[in-house]
Amino acid sequence: MHRSVDLKLVQAVRSGDAEAFERMYGRFLPPVARFARKQCSSNREAEEPTGAILAAVFSHLEGYTGRVALDAWVLVVARRVGQARPSEHAGGATLET
């Protein structure tokens, strides 16, 4: 999608447009779920990180400026949320971002 279209969508979500929220949620649920599944050992285990990533995306929309594609911005948020989550292999330690 074009960045101007992405920015309009984000602005609509920010202003409380429920239909825009549904469009954005529907657009990003599948790729975010795929990302989370790659980080987890099962689909069930990926449900919680998927929700955490989507919550972070929607709660940080004010940070989206339109300088990059929305897809890329969502991926950055997903990576940051993933890095901040406790690691099974690190004894529960978290990584700061």
Side-chain angles (χ1 to χ4, degrees), residues 25 27-39 46 49-55 57 74-75 78:
Y25 183 86
R27 176 176 164 191
F28 288 106
L29 177 60
V32 165
R34 277 192 304 276
F35 176 86
R37 279 193 301 270
K38 288 180 183 180
Q39 310 304 312
T50 297
I53 292 166
L54 288 169
V57 165
V74 169
L75 182 58

Side-chain angles (χ1 to χ4, degrees), residues 15 17 22-23 25 27 30 34 51-52 69 80:
S15 71
D17 183 329
E22 290 295 327
R23 282 195 319 268
Y25 183 86
R27 176 176 164 191
R34 277 192 304 276
R80 288 183 178 166

Side-chain angles (χ1 to χ4, degrees), residues 73-89:
W73 184 82
V74 169
L75 182 58
V76 169
V77 172
R79 287 182 177 156
R80 288 183 178 166
V81 170
Q83 289 173 341
R85 292 181 50 75
S87 170
E88 293 176 9
H89 306 294

Side-chain angles (χ1 to χ4, degrees), residues 9-23:
L9 177 62
V10 168
Q11 289 169 338
V13 172
R14 286 179 190 155
S15 71
D17 183 329
E19 186 178 311
F21 176 87
E22 290 295 327
R23 282 195 319 268

Side-chain angles (χ1 to χ4, degrees), residues 37-84:
R37 279 193 301 270
K38 288 180 183 180
Q39 310 304 312
C40 298
S41 60
S42 71
N43 288 348
R44 185 176 179 93
E45 185 181 313
E47 290 174 3
E48 195 274 328
T50 297
I53 292 166
L54 288 169
V57 165
F58 285 101
S59 67
H60 291 93
L61 280 181
E62 73 281 348
Y64 180 72
T65 62
R67 292 185 315 190
V68 299
L70 185 55
D71 299 72
W73 184 82
V74 169
L75 182 58
V76 169
V77 172
R79 287 182 177 156
R80 288 183 178 166
V81 170
Q83 289 173 341

